Amino acid sequence: MSINKTQVGRKVAVFGAGNAGLTAAFHFTQHGCKVALYGSAGFDEQIHAIAANGGITSLTQHQGINLQHGGFEYIDCLTTDIKQAVAYSDILILPVPSFAQVPLFKEMLPYLQDNQTLVLMPGNYGSLALNQIKDEMGYQSLQLTFVDAISIPWATRITGNAEIAIFGIKAFLPMAALPASRTEESIAKLQEIFPLTLTPLPNVIAAGLENINFGGHPLMTLLNIGLLENYPGKFNYYTDCCSPATARACAKMDEERLAVGGALGLALKSELQAMNELYDMSAKSVYELNKTSATHGSVNSAPDSSRSRYIIEDAPYLLVPCSQFAQLLNIPVPIVDSVLHLTSALNDDDYFTSGRTLEKMGLGDMTSAEILAKIS
């Protein structure tokens, strides 16, 4: 199923019809691109809604808050045919949760062609995992460029059928390519479609370690899980779940992340510095940032179970790689490991094995020097 409108502009294909996918399709179109938006079977409700509506509406106001980036945009191609979506452009954007990256990529793989660029938002080491799968499934000769961004650019929510609310957008978006030698040329290629500045990181490991969800989401959700589950819908996550004590715990875990990055030769930014720069703020602490950020304060929602992506994505796909790198480098990360043990218990899982391990990233049995050489 597809609908087509004629527009002049660079073509880009967006995979996934969730919050980020709809927002990417809307914002890229608003930026002058022609966009194909793909939704897979079982996750295509919004594809049909957009087709019926003729396009995507971005609200100018939501819950009494005035929003930027409002308007209405036709989408050039809406499709549930993955072959059609893959063939639409040489730039393929995957703004999907980390746990959806592998199954989506396996569906795409038979139709991918040389010189296509796949952009993962967030990356969370997805480039390494997908490149490993490409080789394991017999596509070693397929020449792809993977790009990992630290996150999606927007604070956004689907608010209705074919309708979104964009609460804010980052000042810039850091990213890195696999291999790192292609980062500059990849950013040059992608910059014309992105409505914000793209900035380079040293490599895809830096992109994973610089994801700003690392310090807040899994630990802060864990510390508040009783109230979040017992009183669903009663909280604004960033303003209500961050206290002076939880902020101190998050800051201690952030020190562990910085230590791992330092041992890998990466000069990472603290969570506070990164958040201030990304959202053009000058908060003196993570606590102050959570309490005063207009962007985050506008997103009036919070997890209501331990199955929230704040745990099932960020613990196995952000904390597990950090823990694995730490073990390789003989660096203690007691808070990271404690959060992984406890969130595993919450969800009757073992994230140390089910998460994104070095082996799943194609880095098993390698030294840190060998890993850095491989991703360069």
Side-chain angles (χ1 to χ4, degrees):
M1 178 275 291
S2 63
I3 94 172
N4 295 279
K5 301 285 180 183
T6 300
Q7 286 186 333
V8 176
R10 185 71 163 88
K11 283 188 172 183
V12 56
V14 176
F15 293 79
N19 295 318
L22 263 66
T23 305
F26 170 85
H27 211 175
F28 289 151
T29 303
Q30 191 179 59
H31 194 57
C33 297
K34 294 176 69 175
V35 175
L37 177 61
Y38 166 79
S40 59
F43 301 93
D44 56 357
E45 178 182 351
Q46 287 294 333
I47 297 294
H48 298 288
I50 297 165
N53 193 52
I56 299 174
T57 298
S58 180
L59 300 177
T60 57
Q61 189 177 78
H62 183 62
Q63 296 179 344
I65 300 169
N66 292 326
L67 304 175
Q68 298 180 355
H69 313 295
F72 178 87
E73 295 292 343
Y74 293 100
I75 305 303
D76 183 60
C77 174
L78 298 167
T79 185
T80 56
D81 181 346
I82 199 162
K83 181 178 180 181
Q84 179 186 21
V86 169
Y88 184 85
S89 174
D90 62 337
I91 298 177
L92 312 178
I93 309 292
L94 283 68
V96 298
S98 303
F99 47 77
Q101 291 170 344
V102 168
L104 177 59
F105 181 69
K106 287 181 177 180
E107 287 186 59
M108 300 169 70
L109 193 49
Y111 311 112
L112 291 168
Q113 298 181 13
D114 286 342
N115 302 315
Q116 287 185 306
T117 299
L118 285 74
V119 184
L120 309 177
M121 303 191 308
N124 294 356
Y125 313 94
S127 59
L128 292 162
L130 300 191
N131 190 59
Q132 174 74 359
I133 287 169
K134 178 179 77 74
D135 292 347
E136 288 176 347
M137 295 186 70
Y139 291 86
Q140 295 93 335
S141 63
L142 181 61
Q143 298 299 307
L144 302 174
T145 298
F146 295 98
V147 177
D148 283 2
I150 65 164
S151 66
I152 64 171
W154 313 275
T156 184
R157 293 289 184 274
I158 292 174
T159 52
N161 284 333
E163 181 185 275
I164 59 174
I166 303 175
F167 298 99
I169 185 169
K170 293 176 174 62
F172 57 93
L173 185 63
M175 55 178 52
L178 181 70
S181 59
R182 297 183 187 171
T183 296
E184 293 290 349
E185 65 183 80
S186 297
I187 285 179
K189 178 179 182 179
L190 296 169
Q191 188 62 79
E192 63 182 282
I193 72 166
F194 270 85
L196 76 166
T197 300
L198 306 178
T199 59
L201 288 169
N203 53 47
V204 293
I205 293 177
L209 288 171
E210 290 278 37
N211 186 326
I212 54 176
N213 293 336
F214 181 101
H217 284 181
L219 178 53
M220 206 156 72
T221 303
L222 173 66
L223 295 174
N224 288 276
I225 194 64
L227 289 174
L228 290 170
E229 287 192 329
N230 285 323
Y231 301 95
K234 301 295 184 182
F235 304 101
N236 177 297
Y237 182 74
Y238 297 97
T239 59
D240 295 331
C241 294
C242 184
S243 71
T246 58
R248 287 195 296 271
C250 290
K252 288 293 184 183
M253 191 168 79
D254 199 43
E255 291 175 4
E256 296 179 358
R257 175 185 67 89
L258 295 173
V260 171
L264 289 168
L266 302 171
L268 303 178
K269 296 176 181 178
S270 70
E271 181 186 2
L272 177 61
Q273 179 186 354
M275 291 286 283
N276 273 330
E277 292 179 1
L278 288 168
Y279 292 100
D280 194 22
M281 296 181 64
S282 55
K284 300 296 190 295
S285 67
V286 171
Y287 174 72
E288 179 186 336
L289 192 144
N290 277 292
K291 291 294 186 179
T292 61
S293 170
T295 296
H296 295 88
S298 300
V299 184
N300 193 25
S301 66
D304 58 9
S305 84
S306 64
R307 302 297 305 173
S308 159
R309 67 177 180 83
Y310 287 10
I311 289 181
I312 67 170
E313 178 174 23
D314 294 339
Y317 295 94
L318 280 179
L319 300 193
V320 166
C322 182
S323 175
Q324 294 255 301
F325 287 127
Q327 184 175 3
L328 177 68
L329 297 161
N330 295 313
I331 294 174
V333 286
I335 301 178
V336 168
D337 287 344
S338 295
V339 173
L340 285 169
H341 282 297
L342 289 168
T343 53
S344 293
L346 291 180
N347 290 325
D348 194 23
D349 203 331
D350 178 6
Y351 290 141
F352 290 97
T353 57
S354 66
R356 189 154 274 168
T357 62
L358 291 180
E359 183 178 358
K360 291 174 184 176
M361 293 186 279
L363 307 177
D365 299 321
M366 297 176 70
T367 66
S368 59
E370 290 169 338
I371 288 172
L372 291 173
K374 178 175 180 175
I375 65 176
S376 297

